[in-house]
Amino acid sequence: MTDRPGETTPEPSAEVLATVVREEWGRLTSLLLARFRRLDLVEDALADAVETAARRWARDGTPDNPVGWLHTAARRRVLDRLRAEAMAQRKVPLLVVEAEGKEGSPVLADPGDLVEDDLLRLVLMCTHPALDPAAASALALRLVLGVSTADIARLFLVPEATMAARVTRAKRKIVTAGIPFAVPSSDVLPERLDAVAQTAYLAFTAGYAPGSGPDALRTGLAGEAIRLVRVVLRLRPEEPVLVALLALMLLQHSRRDARVDADGAIVLLPDQDRSRWHRDEIDEGVALASSAALTGPLSVQAAGYAVQAGIAVEHATAPSAAATRWDRIVTRYDDLVALSPTPSARLARAVAVAEARGPREGLAALAGLDDDLAHSHRLPSVRAELLARAGDTEAADAAYALAIERCGNDAERALLEERRAALRDATS
């Protein structure tokens, strides 16, 4: 069936499979890796399961429990590979015996605290100190939390091919360094705490700014990141980096129901219905942001999260968009840029400067970012908005065109196209 010549409507089974792979890959990896401890087999088995599902679901229809179907198919594939290895070695590994003894267990293990704990342990496995911290976080995002390589690349502001190579090298480094693919105990947490926090932060960011795909936001991924931080915080109470990060996450997550409309379209902050914000999460976030744990000397990482949490407090506690104290937000962004002058922080500061002092000053604050954000759609989208406000409609239209070209997220692209069309209508 087609909607227009040359455009094919995806089969329902294909849409379901794509959604399951996007949203459940990390959980499936966690469950299988926790049982079999063999990353090579788990990755191959899941890939085989998805390939088989694409054929069978198109022919037989989508199963009632698609996640369970993939889990069962992948588990059986791993067992087949282990049996083949055992035959080749003329022995039966204990792992096969143990796994077969669990055949009667439910398809999906306990989805509550056990899975959350497995999530932490698997992140700890990926963030081994033998790995570069950035590579460790990228590996955990890909394998455990299921973030696509393309989206990880956008988070790190590098081309996708570069990030794919980094993830591959990280996996190879674990093997060559003799690090077993075993689930570590929590006693390794102190030495890996910063990497775990960074992984959770990046996963949360990927949830609220998906670089690709149809979704305006992925609250499931953001929720997994929050649960991960809560699990670690129970093990390390009063740890500043965790307190600050949880405050930031809760304040941002509190707006989830107001971020999209009934059709899934993005609703920008000034237009959000603030009655739909989760006040209990705002109250917890505000309390955490002002807690005693953040009053002493802080690491650069903890201080960065604390400053971002302070910015989120300004938004969350403003009675209306018009009443937002943009002057205070600019000051906080000045602090953030002084701590960590990342391109993303400088771009966000420019937005705040524009709100506080006008679009011309905001445009001036964008100077020097083009090289650092050469592949991002967010710089030209911000520039387009500020140019439109400043009355330079021709330059704004060109900036919107570049942002649309670069944007890989369907919902964000639709918003950019809508704003570009509105700009053209206003000047026609």
Side-chain angles (χ1 to χ4, degrees):
M1 186 177 79
T2 59
D3 294 328
R4 293 191 297 269
E7 180 175 312
T8 302
T9 301
E11 293 293 330
S13 62
E15 292 182 349
V16 172
L17 180 58
T19 299
V20 170
V21 170
R22 184 173 64 249
E23 296 180 356
E24 300 292 343
W25 183 273
R27 186 178 293 275
L28 288 168
T29 302
S30 299
L31 290 167
L32 292 166
L33 193 53
R35 171 174 291 185
F36 295 109
R37 313 292 200 268
R38 287 281 301 276
L39 180 61
D40 55 338
L41 297 188
V42 167
E43 285 194 292
D44 288 346
L46 275 174
D48 289 346
V50 171
E51 183 180 352
T52 302
R55 296 194 309 270
R56 292 189 183 177
W57 296 6
R59 182 190 65 202
D60 303 332
T62 305
D64 293 336
N65 183 359
V67 180
W69 193 101
L70 286 175
H71 182 273
T72 300
R75 188 186 70 225
R76 289 173 177 168
R77 178 61 175 158
V78 173
L79 288 170
D80 288 345
R81 287 282 302 276
L82 288 171
R83 291 188 188 101
E85 289 181 4
M87 290 290 290
Q89 297 170 10
R90 300 292 183 182
K91 63 182 181 179
V92 180
L94 293 176
L95 184 57
V96 176
V97 176
E98 177 187 353
E100 288 182 329
K102 298 178 180 178
E103 283 294 312
S105 62
V107 168
L108 287 180
D110 179 3
D113 290 341
L114 177 61
V115 171
E116 291 177 6
D117 193 52
D118 280 346
L119 179 67
L120 169 60
R121 292 176 185 276
L122 289 166
V123 170
L124 290 174
M125 180 194 72
C126 291
T127 54
H128 193 279
L131 299 176
D132 172 77
S137 290
L139 183 62
L141 288 169
R142 180 72 195 100
L143 295 182
V144 184
L145 293 164
V147 181
S148 72
T149 303
D151 285 355
I152 298 171
R154 290 184 177 91
L155 290 171
F156 283 89
L157 302 178
V158 298
E160 182 177 352
T162 300
M163 182 50 66
R166 286 185 186 176
V167 171
T168 299
R169 284 198 300 271
K171 287 191 254 184
R172 189 181 300 122
K173 178 66 176 292
I174 289 179
V175 174
T176 57
I179 302 165
F181 280 114
V183 180
S185 60
S186 60
D187 60 2
V188 304
L189 181 58
E191 66 189 50
R192 306 187 197 180
L193 185 61
D194 288 348
V196 171
Q198 178 71 356
T199 299
Y201 175 79
L202 291 170
F204 186 85
T205 302
Y208 275 104
S212 60
D215 304 318
L217 54 129
R218 298 172 190 166
T219 54
L221 177 58
E224 285 290 284
I226 289 174
R227 284 191 290 274
L228 174 61
V229 174
R230 287 195 184 280
V231 168
V232 184
L233 194 57
R234 285 200 296 269
L235 299 172
R236 302 280 297 182
E238 305 301 315
E239 186 72 45
V241 72
L242 300 175
V243 172
L245 180 55
L246 184 57
L248 170 61
M249 288 178 163
L250 289 173
L251 289 163
Q252 297 284 14
H253 199 53
S254 69
R255 302 201 301 266
R256 61 189 174 277
D257 292 342
R259 288 175 180 262
V260 295
D261 63 17
D263 298 321
I266 295 173
V267 180
L268 297 176
L269 179 60
D271 304 318
Q272 289 177 12
D273 179 357
R274 298 185 177 219
S275 68
R276 301 188 66 198
W277 292 1
H278 292 251
R279 289 294 159 186
D280 57 333
E281 293 173 3
I282 291 174
D283 291 343
E284 183 182 0
V286 170
L288 286 167
S290 59
S291 67
L294 302 182
T295 58
L298 302 177
S299 67
V300 172
Q301 186 178 6
Y305 295 152
V307 172
Q308 291 177 74
I311 294 168
V313 167
E314 294 291 346
H315 288 298
T317 58
S320 65
T324 303
R325 290 294 304 271
W326 286 104
D327 56 331
R328 294 203 295 235
I329 291 175
V330 170
T331 299
R332 290 187 181 275
Y333 271 120
D334 289 340
D335 294 338
L336 182 61
V337 170
L339 280 168
S340 180
T342 65
S344 297
R346 290 158 56 202
L347 178 61
R349 178 187 176 276
V351 173
V353 167
E355 295 291 345
R357 305 170 190 166
R360 292 293 180 188
E361 291 208 32
L363 287 166
L366 295 176
L369 284 174
D370 289 274
D371 289 342
D372 292 329
L373 296 172
H375 303 284
S376 172
H377 69 280
R378 292 195 167 85
L379 175 59
S381 67
V382 168
R383 182 172 282 135
E385 175 66 21
L386 298 186
L387 286 167
R389 291 188 194 180
D392 192 343
T393 56
E394 184 175 347
D397 184 77
Y400 272 128
L402 179 59
I404 291 166
E405 178 186 339
R406 290 181 179 178
C407 185
N409 179 270
D410 296 349
E412 286 194 68
R413 190 187 309 110
L415 177 63
L416 290 168
E417 290 170 345
E418 178 184 327
R419 295 181 82 82
R420 187 187 189 193
L423 175 69
R424 289 181 164 185
D425 288 344
T427 57
S428 61

